Each structure stands twice: as C-alpha cells, then as structure tokens.
C-alpha cells in the first residue's frame, strides 16, 4: 500500500490545525478493504478506523486483535446488532433513534465498557440515508442521560448530499455546525462534529468539522 494520499491528507490537516487552532481527527474508512491494507496503515502509525457493516467490522477487529486501535461504527444500525456493535466498537457514529441509544446504553452498562456515540443527522433529507431530520434533534436529546457512566454523547455526524454543488454543501455544513455549536452549550461532553469525506473534507473542515471520514482516497479501490 502506498501512503502518498494519506500523507497529503495528514499534511492538509496539520496546516489547517496550525492556522485555525482546531483539532481535526481522521477516520480511515476501511469497509471493503483488505486486512493487509489495514495492517499497513496501522504499521504506518494510524489508529482510527471506520466500518459500515457490523459482521465485516467484527471479523476484522477479531482478526487484527490490536487493543490500540479505535474502531468507529459508521453504518446504519439494526436493533439486533447493537450488542455486537457495543462489544466490539469504541465509537458509534450513527445513532438515529432513542431505541438504539437505549439498547447501546444497556449493553455498555452490562459490559462495563465505555462507548462514545454521535447522533446521525440526515442533512440532505434523502430517503436512502439514515439519520434524523435536523429539526427533530430535540426528540432524541430529551432522552439522553448526559451523566451515564459508560455511554458518552460526543456530538453529531452527517453524510451530506452527493453533489458537486458547492453552495448546497456549504448550506448543509453550515446548518450542521450551527447545531453543533448549540449542542456544545447544552451538553458538556459534546466536542465532535463528524462530517467530511473523500470528496468534501476540506470544505467540511472549513465549516466546523472536527472529524473527517476518508476511505477510498486513502486505501484506493474497495475489494
């Protein structure tokens, strides 16, 4: 595996952080990527990886078996998968209803395991995407326990419109950032706005993102 693109992204993040004084985390999205490629990036020093599919992610986590790796679940969540997700992942980016939050909370407390979670916003309002309407955010927030010992609310995540329309992306990112700023005032644990992928991470960073999720631009084509 070549690391040219990875190094360029890391350099862009470093320059941004120095200029804007805001930390940006990079999640390497490893869905449909080989164990060999993931091992290569781990050996290169990267520790945060994102998976979209529960069983594929669990199989990789078991195979790699490295407690230093921070695993992020970023795909849609089925109720019957919450136990596996809670057991094997460190972050859950895609909570979109109270039922899922409650199940993860119960599993985490049962395991005595710390889980960070984000609420997924469907900012593009596309039926094919998971997440809640940004106007319905309070319905979930009212049911969250900000002082739970094991489940920690860290912020919001979104997948913007799949478009080359920069103005539309700016509008969506700005709405998310506004919601994020409001959440930080309401919840002392909130510090994460997860938005920005391979094609739009620079724009997302300039609109308040603190965490970007990049897959194919790091790893190349999926298997």
């Amino acid at each position: 595996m070549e690391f040219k693109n990875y190094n360029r992204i890391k350099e862009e993040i470093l320059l941004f952080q120095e200029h804007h004084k805001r930390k940006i985390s990079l999640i390497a999205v490893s869905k449909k990527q080989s164990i060999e490629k993931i091992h290569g990036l781990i050996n290169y020093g990267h520790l945060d990886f994102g998976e979209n599919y529960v069983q594929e992610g669990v199989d990789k986590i078991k195979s790699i078996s490295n407690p230093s790796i921070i695993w992020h679940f970023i795909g849609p969540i089925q109720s019957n998968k919450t136990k596996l997700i809670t057991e094997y992942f460190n972050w859950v980016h895609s909570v979109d209803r109270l039922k899922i939050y409650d199940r993860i909370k119960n599993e985490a407390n049962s395991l005595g395991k710390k889980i960070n979670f984000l609420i997924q916003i469907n900012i593009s309002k596309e039926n094919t995407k998971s997440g809640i309407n940004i106007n319905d955010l309070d319905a979930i927030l009212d049911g969250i326990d900000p002082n739970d010992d094991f489940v920690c609310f860290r912020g919001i995540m979104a997948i913007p419109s799949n478009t080359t329309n920069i103005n539309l992306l700016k509008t969506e990112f700005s709405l998310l950032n506004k919601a994020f700023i409001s959440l930080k005032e309401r919840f002392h644990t909130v510090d994460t706005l997860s938005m920005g992928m391979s094609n739009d991470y620079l724009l997302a960073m300039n609109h308040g993102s603190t965490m970007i999720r990049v897959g194919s631009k790091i790893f190349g084509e999926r298997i």
Side-chain angles (χ1 to χ4, degrees):
M1 177 179 171
E2 295 184 3
F3 301 102
K4 182 172 65 176
N5 285 347
Y6 175 79
N7 288 333
R8 185 168 73 248
I9 294 167
K10 292 289 285 185
E11 287 170 7
E12 288 169 339
I13 290 173
L14 183 61
L15 287 171
F16 182 89
Q17 289 179 154
E18 290 175 350
H19 188 262
H20 294 273
K21 310 301 180 187
R22 186 172 81 246
K23 186 177 183 300
I24 305 289
S25 299
L26 171 62
I27 311 304
V29 179
S30 46
K31 71 172 181 179
K32 302 297 183 183
Q33 299 291 348
S34 68
I35 293 288
E36 290 72 26
K37 283 186 177 181
I38 298 171
H39 269 303
L41 200 57
I42 291 170
N43 292 335
Y44 200 63
H46 192 79
L47 299 178
D48 284 271
F49 292 86
E51 289 286 333
N52 287 64
Y53 307 111
V54 178
Q55 197 57 56
E56 178 189 347
V58 169
D59 290 345
K60 287 175 179 175
I61 293 167
K62 287 180 176 179
S63 175
I64 291 168
S65 188
N66 183 337
S68 298
I69 303 305
I70 301 168
W71 292 98
H72 300 251
F73 187 76
I74 58 178
I77 302 175
Q78 296 173 296
S79 296
N80 63 349
K81 300 293 185 181
T82 53
K83 185 173 183 179
L84 275 176
I85 291 169
T86 308
E87 184 176 355
Y88 286 96
F89 289 85
N90 309 101
W91 281 71
V92 182
H93 287 228
S94 43
V95 173
D96 62 358
R97 53 200 189 276
L98 272 177
K99 178 183 178 181
I100 296 298
Y101 163 76
D102 287 334
R103 290 179 71 103
I104 290 172
K105 178 183 174 183
N106 290 338
E107 297 290 353
N109 277 268
S110 177
L111 291 167
K113 179 184 176 183
K114 178 76 175 289
I115 295 288
N116 296 296
F117 80 95
L118 305 174
I119 294 173
Q120 182 172 357
I121 307 293
N122 186 347
I123 195 64
S124 64
K125 300 180 182 178
E126 295 171 281
N127 293 331
T128 55
K129 290 179 179 173
S130 300
I132 63 166
N133 188 298
I134 197 165
N135 296 320
D136 297 330
L137 186 54
D138 279 341
I140 286 188
L141 297 178
D142 289 342
I144 288 175
D145 179 1
N147 300 310
D148 189 85
D149 290 335
F150 296 105
V151 177
C152 184
F153 177 41
R154 299 292 295 272
I156 52 177
M157 178 273 262
I159 302 169
S161 296
N162 183 16
T163 180
T164 56
N165 184 332
I166 299 299
N167 288 329
L168 177 57
L169 289 172
K170 285 181 177 179
T171 297
E172 292 178 356
F173 287 151
S174 295
L175 285 170
L176 289 162
N177 191 36
K178 183 179 179 181
F180 174 56
I181 291 169
S182 177
L183 286 173
K184 284 197 293 183
E185 295 173 352
R186 181 172 172 182
F187 293 90
H188 68 279
T189 56
V190 168
D191 59 4
T192 303
L193 174 54
S194 175
M195 65 181 191
M197 299 184 290
S198 288
N199 294 325
D200 57 22
Y201 65 88
L202 290 174
L203 189 65
M205 284 161 50
N206 277 295
H207 284 78
S209 177
T210 68
M211 181 181 282
I212 60 174
R213 311 178 306 274
V214 182
S216 57
K217 197 160 188 175
I218 291 174
F219 289 106
E221 293 300 313
R222 300 186 181 105
I223 57 175

